[in-house]
Amino acid sequence: MTFEDHDPSAPRTNDAWADALAHAVQLALATLRSAPSEAEAWDATAGSLEWTCWETAEHLADDLFFYGMQIGTPGLPPGTYVPLEMRRQRPEGPVNILQAEREPGPSGLLTVLEACGAMQVSLTRTTPPSARAHHAMGASDPAGFAAMGIVETLLHTFDIAAGFGMEFTAPDDLCALVLDRLFPHVERGEEPWPTLLWATGRGELAGRERLEKWRWYGEVRGAE
């Protein structure tokens, strides 16, 4: 069963969230594989970010790796992360655990992204739904970390595509799914993709001020 096969009114299981995350990663890979194949081209700035397209793709892979490690590691003390070293490659760049080798070029970079996505998808399927792990925006479960991975994937694909002058539009079903899970404070009524862009400081919506600061809420709502 694929993400598109699931009844949107049905309760979301770990498998359904894993399928949704896998779908987002495949959309990202399909989009970014049409970007320039020269590594130097990936030094362009990614949309409205201070990072390059290369750094942003690295950061996305790092997010997926980190989310999978975090929710898949039992017994972490409350309020702590897996103790992995994080560092910047340059002062303006992202703080990452992973760095992709430059020599294989963008195809190697996207292989790293694909591998990290596959790891989080697998851990989403196999980690008990009762598991909880720390995150700065709320302790969350496998579904919540999958939702975070989807948001990071859609938004950073958008950022990278903008850096190359390409267009990327995320599907409404994925956007609605993560808006419901992570952005309960955001008023709905607009189209899901423009709403997600606005909710993350990347777009305009009529009648609403552009956001300079934003966040999501990863807590498991309704849990005892």
Side-chain angles (χ1 to χ4, degrees), residues 10-50:
R12 288 281 165 183
T13 63
N14 275 20
D15 279 343
W17 278 104
D19 289 341
L21 176 58
H23 184 50
V25 172
Q26 289 306 310
L27 287 173
L29 292 169
T31 299
L32 300 179
R33 282 172 177 150
S34 66
S37 59
E38 301 80 18
E40 294 76 13
W42 286 67
D43 291 330
T45 302
S48 60
L49 305 182
E50 294 184 348

Side-chain angles (χ1 to χ4, degrees), residues 133-141 145 148 215-220:
H134 174 67
H135 188 276
M137 295 190 189
S140 205
D141 58 354
F145 277 96
M148 296 179 213
R215 63 159 295 171
W216 65 57
Y217 292 84
E219 298 92 341
V220 183

Side-chain angles (χ1 to χ4, degrees), residues 161-212:
F164 291 124
M166 300 162 52
E167 290 189 5
F168 173 74
T169 301
D172 284 346
D173 48 8
L174 284 178
C175 297
L177 188 65
V178 295
L179 284 167
D180 287 343
R181 180 61 174 79
L182 297 178
F183 296 88
H185 57 294
V186 171
E187 181 181 353
R188 302 290 291 275
E190 305 288 344
E191 293 298 315
W193 177 229
T195 301
L196 183 59
L197 291 176
W198 175 83
T200 55
R202 287 170 168 81
E204 308 281 351
L205 283 180
R208 305 192 200 186
E209 294 185 7
R210 189 182 181 102
L211 296 180
E212 298 297 327

Side-chain angles (χ1 to χ4, degrees), residues 59-118:
H59 172 74
L60 171 55
D62 194 81
D63 281 334
L64 300 173
F65 173 82
F66 174 76
Y67 292 158
M69 291 285 287
Q70 188 68 8
I71 193 59
T73 305
L76 283 173
T80 66
Y81 295 117
V82 176
L84 295 165
E85 181 182 0
M86 305 180 74
R87 62 183 183 275
R88 300 180 193 271
Q89 294 290 91
R90 64 185 184 96
E92 299 83 6
V95 180
N96 284 350
I97 301 163
L98 301 178
Q99 284 81 39
E101 289 185 351
R102 291 282 294 196
E103 185 175 351
S107 64
L109 174 62
L110 295 182
T111 297
V112 173
L113 173 58
E114 183 175 20
C116 291

